[in-house]
Amino acid sequence: MNTSIRSLAVAVTLLLGALVVPAAPAAAAVPAPHCESGGSRFFCLGSSTGTTTWHVTIVFPPATDVIYTTAGPNLSTRCPNPGRGLQVFYTFVSNGVTEISGNTSFWCNPGQWT
């Protein structure tokens, strides 16, 4: 009797183990970039390593997306549309996982740096 119960327990354990599917690694959220603007330019600093893809959305109907690629965690460029609101986030690959930052919103300032 003990042998059949032990065999049944082993069989159930093996069956349950076969049914468990390992979870796919999720993209880890990284901090949103810190951005400043002035003189119709903007600068953003992220926490990425290596090649970074910056996703910039000009918030003005219709919304327009602009993509920039940099070799590191900084983006410095002219405002696509000075005097408009921007939303920025970045992505990069670390150890085979695509990391996605939080989103930062700011005003693309044609005047003094803020």
Side-chain angles (χ1 to χ4, degrees):
M1 187 92 166
N2 274 342
T3 304
S4 61
I5 293 174
R6 193 174 306 135
S7 297
L8 180 61
V10 169
V12 168
T13 302
L14 291 174
L15 178 62
L16 289 176
L19 294 177
V20 175
V21 178
V30 294
H34 170 78
C35 299
E36 296 181 9
S37 178
S40 295
R41 299 188 60 80
F42 71 95
F43 172 82
C44 293
L45 175 61
S47 299
S48 60
T49 57
T51 302
T52 304
T53 303
W54 296 87
H55 304 264
V56 179
T57 300
I58 304 164
V59 185
F60 186 78
T64 305
D65 294 321
V66 182
I67 305 293
Y68 299 95
T69 302
T70 61
N74 302 330
L75 172 64
S76 180
T77 190
R78 293 197 58 77
C79 293
N81 277 351
R84 303 282 189 238
L86 298 180
Q87 291 182 341
V88 178
F89 73 94
Y90 59 95
T91 61
F92 64 101
V93 177
S94 177
N95 296 322
V97 176
T98 299
E99 303 283 354
I100 303 170
S101 79
N103 196 17
T104 295
S105 298
F106 63 98
W107 187 258
C108 197
N109 190 356
Q112 297 295 317
W113 281 90
T114 57

